[in-house]
Amino acid sequence: MKKTLIEPRTLKGFRDYLPAAMIPREQLIETAKSVYRSYGFSPIDTPALEFTEILTGKGGEESDKQMFRFEQGGRDVAMRFDLTVPFARFAAQNINELGTPFKRYHVGKVWRGERPQKGRYREFMQCDFDTIGTTSNSADIETLFIIHDLMVKIGFTEFKIRINNRMVLNGLLEILELQSQSAEVLRALDKLPKIGPDAVIKEMQEQGSLTQQQAEKVISLTTVAGSTTDILNSLEQQLSGNACGEQGVQYLREIFTASERAGIPGDRIVLDPSIARGLDYYTGTIYETFLDQLPNIGSVCSGGRYDNLAELFTTQQLPGVGASLGLDRLLAAMQELNLLPDVSTPAPILVTQMDAAYTPEYLRLARELRLSGLNVEVYPDTKSIKKQFKYANRHGFQIVIIAGTDEFENQIWQVKELQTGTQTAVKEQEIIKFVTGLLE
């Protein structure tokens, strides 16, 4: 009977990761973790599944629509759409044991049933960091520093961290007596870069029931131009007399002053009153990071302050602030900019096998190199050297080590650098030092 084969395929918006894609992905994750740890953040993890009531109504109507939700064992459950809402639940459950302030980072997959597009998938990884249990603006300033340091350590120098404060926007809505329409206004405003001011004004009128004059005042505030000082002075003037708005402007002043004092290049930090962030839970400072060379790919590291999110799960005050590195979007950008190495092995060194009689020696050398801190692979078969070199080139090895009968008799190894083609005979007792020097 002929066996019926199942067609191997993946769901739309989901993807497999081959070694060439997974290696830089893991390297990026490790880079992010190292930056988070340098600021004292500790790792946590939470389940992929949550009770649906934990997730719904936290990120806005759009997030609720995109949620992967189903019934399991008579329970209404959903897959997390971000790592922030589960963290709020986590903190409410565990904060008595953890204490405040609590600084955490979390690397994990999230799921959103949105339309797949370049750099955006339905299953993707987030690399979050958050400080919870403090309203201090120093935590917001530190969040900016971390985003900056993270981008630099990844290897970028040309990027913009755009900053705003929801209190500025909320202050204007209070002045215009539009507090009840804040969700609709902010969601429309979040589309400003994509659809332009006229379309946003129209959407505010249709979705938020704003008058033409009210919508134009919102746009006027959010499109203020000039230097940082000019923008802050203009915002302060427009929000004069409103405590919420004035406090938001003051927080922004402090952030830019601290950034300057810390030596962060001013051209990388941009005050942008139009930044709104679509998620409903943000209450204060908000951040979006764009690459100068690929601004249209969207923000690659975003976040903000959320002072009320955890209060949905506990009566304890647990204000928080943090951001998330858009790992897959950033990798897509790096690939487009040719910043990813063309390798599919984490080992830069390949030890070839010329003669099966010497297999123990090939394995011994590889182990000694590993014990010295190097990643090494041994080709498992004694195939032709041509095939072994083809394997080395295909997977992106930097160094190939070769030895046959003559080399073993003379206690030397042939070391070939694939990029330059240079081959050197190295004495057995000098091999570790020599190879280590080539890789430095």
Side-chain angles (χ1 to χ4, degrees):
M1 183 177 178
K2 188 177 180 181
K3 182 180 178 181
T4 302
L5 296 177
I6 299 172
E7 180 187 355
R9 52 183 179 157
T10 55
L11 291 165
K12 186 177 182 181
F14 294 76
R15 62 182 295 203
D16 291 324
Y17 288 89
L18 277 63
M22 198 63 194
I23 288 171
R25 198 169 191 244
E26 287 195 340
Q27 290 172 342
L28 201 56
I29 290 171
E30 286 306 311
T31 298
K33 287 180 177 180
S34 70
V35 174
Y36 301 160
R37 289 172 184 148
S38 74
Y39 280 82
F41 288 74
S42 300
I44 69 161
D45 199 6
T46 64
L49 281 179
E50 297 274 1
F51 285 104
T52 299
E53 66 178 2
I54 298 291
L55 302 176
T56 52
K58 313 305 186 300
E61 185 179 343
E62 196 67 23
S63 292
D64 288 352
K65 289 179 181 178
Q66 294 172 355
M67 213 176 292
F68 285 95
R69 178 178 179 178
F70 53 94
E71 185 175 303
Q72 193 275 331
R75 296 171 297 183
D76 186 6
V77 298
M79 302 176 79
R80 63 192 184 200
F81 64 87
D82 76 356
L83 298 179
T84 305
V85 176
F87 175 51
R89 188 271 307 155
F90 169 95
Q93 275 186 264
N94 299 288
I95 203 64
N96 289 335
E97 180 181 346
L98 296 169
T100 57
F102 175 62
K103 302 168 75 171
R104 80 78 156 104
Y105 72 83
H106 186 184
V107 178
K109 288 185 175 181
V110 298
W111 296 265
R112 296 179 189 176
E114 58 186 348
R115 183 173 64 85
Q117 52 187 292
K118 188 175 183 179
R120 180 173 292 183
Y121 305 94
R122 288 173 173 166
E123 178 186 65
F124 56 98
M125 187 79 76
Q126 286 190 336
C127 300
D128 283 22
F129 66 94
D130 292 81
T131 302
I132 200 165
T134 177
T135 58
S136 171
N137 199 34
S138 67
D140 299 52
I141 296 168
E142 186 176 74
T143 298
L144 170 64
F145 288 4
I146 294 169
I147 295 173
H148 176 270
D149 292 356
L150 179 57
M151 295 300 295
V152 171
K153 191 159 188 179
I154 290 170
F156 289 99
T157 56
E158 298 179 359
F159 60 90
K160 299 285 188 296
I161 306 173
R162 299 188 174 275
I163 307 170
N164 194 19
N165 193 298
R166 275 282 185 89
M167 297 177 74
V168 169
L169 297 168
N170 291 338
L172 177 65
L173 295 179
E174 287 179 7
I175 292 172
L176 299 176
E177 299 183 348
L178 293 172
Q179 298 96 309
S180 61
Q181 280 83 39
S182 62
E184 291 83 359
V185 171
L186 292 170
R187 276 196 291 272
L189 195 57
D190 199 42
K191 301 174 184 177
L192 185 60
K194 296 179 181 178
I195 64 177
D198 292 340
V200 170
I201 288 174
K202 184 177 180 181
E203 184 168 327
M204 286 180 184
Q205 291 177 280
E206 293 175 351
Q207 303 296 326
S209 302
L210 276 71
T211 65
Q212 176 81 17
Q213 186 179 23
Q214 288 173 325
E216 288 176 353
K217 284 187 177 181
V218 173
I219 292 297
S220 175
L221 180 135
T222 57
T223 56
V224 175
S227 68
T228 300
T229 301
D230 291 339
I231 295 173
L232 287 169
N233 289 340
S234 177
L235 295 177
E236 195 168 56
Q237 184 178 5
Q238 292 185 62
L239 297 167
S240 178
N242 180 272
C244 177
E246 290 178 341
Q247 184 67 74
V249 174
Q250 179 59 34
Y251 284 153
L252 289 170
R253 286 191 187 278
E254 292 173 4
I255 287 176
F256 280 91
T257 298
S259 298
E260 184 179 0
R261 293 285 298 157
I264 293 179
D267 60 348
R268 294 178 184 167
I269 315 296
V270 178
L271 175 55
D272 186 348
S274 70
I275 295 290
R277 301 288 296 143
L279 297 175
D280 288 351
Y281 53 66
Y282 290 118
T283 58
T285 310
I286 43 182
Y287 318 84
E288 291 190 346
T289 309
F290 295 87
L291 304 177
D292 290 356
Q293 292 172 285
L294 288 175
N296 292 334
I297 203 167
S299 177
V300 296
C301 191
S302 307
R305 172 163 286 280
Y306 49 94
D307 285 343
N308 306 318
L309 187 57
E311 294 175 9
L312 297 167
F313 309 113
T314 177
T315 56
Q316 189 172 351
Q317 297 291 312
L318 292 175
V321 62
S324 175
L325 177 68
L327 187 76
D328 293 298
R329 185 178 293 185
L330 187 57
L331 282 169
M334 293 175 74
Q335 185 173 30
E336 187 168 337
L337 295 170
N338 295 315
L339 296 177
L340 298 181
D342 187 17
V343 298
S344 58
T345 173
I349 304 166
L350 177 68
V351 176
T352 60
Q353 293 207 59
M354 302 279 289
D355 189 334
Y358 294 107
T359 291
E361 293 303 310
Y362 299 126
L363 295 171
R364 174 191 60 80
L365 175 68
R367 177 166 172 76
E368 288 180 3
L369 289 168
R370 290 189 200 103
L371 290 174
S372 71
L374 301 172
N375 292 349
V376 185
E377 180 179 339
V378 178
Y379 194 85
D381 302 308
T382 54
K383 292 183 178 180
S384 71
I385 195 66
K386 182 178 179 180
K387 287 186 177 180
Q388 295 188 59
F389 267 92
K390 182 179 179 181
Y391 177 85
N393 285 311
R394 180 177 182 179
H395 291 277
F397 288 93
Q398 298 176 46
I399 295 170
V400 174
I401 298 178
I402 313 148
T405 302
D406 291 345
E407 282 76 18
F408 284 113
E409 287 179 355
N410 293 291
Q411 295 186 313
I412 62 172
W413 297 88
Q414 299 289 344
V415 179
K416 185 164 186 175
E417 301 171 68
L418 290 183
Q419 188 171 6
T420 64
T422 303
Q423 184 166 311
T424 308
V426 183
K427 294 179 181 179
E428 165 79 25
Q429 61 269 30
E430 297 174 359
I431 186 71
I432 293 176
K433 182 179 179 181
F434 182 81
V435 172
T436 301
L438 291 179
L439 294 173
E440 287 179 347

